Amino acid sequence: MSGGNNATISMPGPGWGPGWAMLWPDAFDNFQLDIVGLLAILGEGSVAANAQVAALSNLSFLPRLMPAPQALLWPNRLVTLEPTTKATVTAVVAGNIKDHIHHVASVLLSDAEAMPKHMVRCVKISKDNRMPTTTSWSDTVLRGQPGKAKARAQTQSPLATPSVKVKAFGPLAMVTLLGCLLSITLFTLSIVFGDGMSMIASILLSLLTTLTGIGNSWTLKLPKRSAGSTPPGDTVIRYPNGSFLVIKCDEDVARELFWAPEEIDYMVSSTAAYRLISLSGTIILMLGVIALANARLELQFAWAGAYVIINAAYWVGAAVPPRLHWDFSCYTLEEQGVASGSANANFTEALWRAIMLTQSTEWVKNGNAAPRTKVWDAWLLKAEEQSQLAKEQPGKVQGPYWKDNGKVWATKEEWDAKGAWDTLNHDTNNIA
């Protein structure tokens, strides 16, 4: 069938006979890749998945090829990290309650979300807040003058304590470096083939990532408690499937991870300045795509291949566990547990083991971890009495997630938590 523009469309004939033919480009110049510009803005989900943690790294300033850079051109930036709402958090001593876990704590304890039903896990988290020490030439000179050395120590500002940061050689760093390599390759090919439009596209689309890096660069500010004694900050996380994660820590760690919100301190603090950067980035993106659409066919093939590679890399980066992107070396995690094991047949047994690890039932009441009935109130009294008999001792920490050796909690005689509840329930109903 033909039209006024002399374009011929081959249609299937009766029984798919001789009137039908499969059409293919008969020469290289007949390939059409004008749509390659669309590849530059695909993959937004993979980019956005780790955009916040990627902006923690100085590598975000590198000019590089990146899919969907518009994913980083937000009209408004986040002021806090996104929390998870998969659990209830309760402070054992302070009584604080939250219906979500802050982002850093959620990533740090991400494997806990995979705990089977009615499992109980215990982790001791500590943080080394000692100041790093350095020795300078002037310090060496002052060693023989104790008075001056002491005066200098009192006036020096303390160095920053260790904090959470992005991994220097994590998956995101590898993806960033790959994008930089692809950008350099495309720029070089543009010069070799003498394609000015491709060269302009490589410059604009690469510098766009540097611009978004400047606009979104930030540092993580975890809250600090005022100086003084450090009370216990033990915390219990209760998951919807009836499992419990008991965190043993001091108040400093508890406040950093669970209670005070993480603060995002942007390098470009002015909202107006950021919006100007975002607007400029949007214009640069459009100009870069226009330049790319006018590149030679050979270069468009190269760009298409590069975007396929970088999109696949970003997809892999988004698919791996989030913890692989973060550097939590400032925290030390020590697995603990219950001598009788971490698995439990029912919620009552799981709750009892969580109470034994905390040696308290106040958090159960504050966090509504148990029903408010006469039977449960009586059972909680007995459970707290039994928990005071539990002692910490060396032993094997049982469970699929944990080390072979560690510290466990146990009582001299195993208390039948479910049997005690059944007895109380029977007696209460008979009295009623």
Side-chain angles (χ1 to χ4, degrees), residues 238 244 347-348 351-352 355 361-373 375-377 379-380 421:
R238 175 168 56 90
F244 293 88
F347 175 79
T348 306
L351 180 59
W352 151 241
I355 292 172
T361 58
E362 285 302 312
W363 64 269
V364 179
K365 302 171 185 176
N366 293 335
N368 294 319
R372 298 290 183 93
T373 65
V375 176
W376 278 103
D377 289 344
W379 182 88
L380 287 174
W421 189 93

Side-chain angles (χ1 to χ4, degrees), residues 181-248:
L181 178 62
L182 290 173
S183 180
I184 294 172
T185 302
L186 289 171
F187 182 77
T188 304
L189 287 175
S190 300
I191 295 177
V192 170
F193 281 87
D195 192 330
M197 297 306 293
S198 177
M199 183 180 67
I200 291 175
S202 64
I203 293 174
L204 291 177
L205 295 177
S206 298
L207 291 182
L208 172 59
T209 58
T210 299
L211 192 64
T212 59
I214 294 172
N216 295 311
S217 179
W218 64 288
T219 55
L220 178 63
K221 293 178 63 178
L222 294 177
K224 301 295 180 184
R225 194 177 57 86
S226 56
S229 60
T230 306
D234 293 359
T235 302
V236 178
I237 302 175
R238 175 168 56 90
Y239 293 94
N241 66 351
S243 59
F244 293 88
L245 175 59
V246 178
I247 306 296
K248 291 185 174 293

Side-chain angles (χ1 to χ4, degrees), residues 123-356:
V123 178
K124 182 178 180 181
I125 303 179
S126 56
K127 186 174 183 180
D128 186 0
N129 285 321
R130 292 175 298 178
M131 301 295 182
T133 58
T134 58
T135 303
S136 65
W137 172 83
S138 56
D139 294 329
T140 305
V141 173
L142 290 174
R143 281 178 182 172
Q145 307 175 49
K148 291 184 179 180
K150 182 178 180 180
R152 173 170 177 166
Q154 291 174 343
T155 57
Q156 283 183 322
S157 59
L159 298 176
T161 57
S163 187
V164 177
K165 49 186 181 293
V166 67
K167 279 188 177 179
F169 299 102
L172 292 181
M174 299 300 103
V175 172
T176 300
L177 293 176
L178 174 61
C180 185
L181 178 62
L182 290 173
S183 180
I184 294 172
T185 302
L186 289 171
F187 182 77
T188 304
L189 287 175
S190 300
I191 295 177
V192 170
F193 281 87
D195 192 330
M197 297 306 293
S198 177
M199 183 180 67
I200 291 175
S202 64
I203 293 174
L204 291 177
L205 295 177
S206 298
L207 291 182
L208 172 59
T209 58
T210 299
L211 192 64
T212 59
I214 294 172
N216 295 311
S217 179
W218 64 288
T219 55
L220 178 63
K221 293 178 63 178
L222 294 177
K224 301 295 180 184
R225 194 177 57 86
S226 56
S229 60
T230 306
D234 293 359
T235 302
V236 178
I237 302 175
R238 175 168 56 90
Y239 293 94
N241 66 351
S243 59
F244 293 88
L245 175 59
V246 178
I247 306 296
K248 291 185 174 293
C249 61
D250 59 35
E251 182 63 21
D252 288 336
V253 172
R255 182 167 298 193
E256 285 186 4
L257 293 178
F258 303 110
W259 305 119
E262 307 106 333
E263 297 179 14
I264 296 179
D265 186 13
Y266 286 106
M267 184 178 73
V268 179
S269 58
S270 170
T271 301
Y274 168 74
R275 287 179 176 172
L276 180 60
I277 290 175
S278 183
L279 175 61
S280 302
T282 302
I283 295 173
I284 290 174
L285 174 60
M286 292 188 290
L287 293 176
V289 171
I290 292 172
L292 179 57
N294 287 276
R296 293 175 56 177
L297 186 60
E298 295 86 353
L299 269 301
Q300 288 198 17
F301 264 100
W303 277 92
Y307 273 118
V308 169
I309 293 172
I310 199 64
N311 264 286
Y314 270 87
W315 186 93
V316 172
V320 300
R323 185 168 178 173
L324 295 181
H325 305 309
W326 292 84
D327 181 358
F328 291 113
S329 58
C330 59
Y331 293 110
T332 300
L333 275 64
E334 177 188 348
E335 297 288 348
Q336 299 187 358
V338 181
S340 55
S342 56
N344 300 280
N346 50 65
F347 175 79
T348 306
E349 291 182 3
L351 180 59
W352 151 241
R353 285 179 167 80
I355 292 172
M356 179 171 61

Side-chain angles (χ1 to χ4, degrees), residues 1-2 7-13 16-23:
M1 182 171 63
S2 62
T8 300
I9 302 177
S10 180
M11 300 294 293
W16 299 79
W20 180 88
M22 180 70 73
L23 299 181

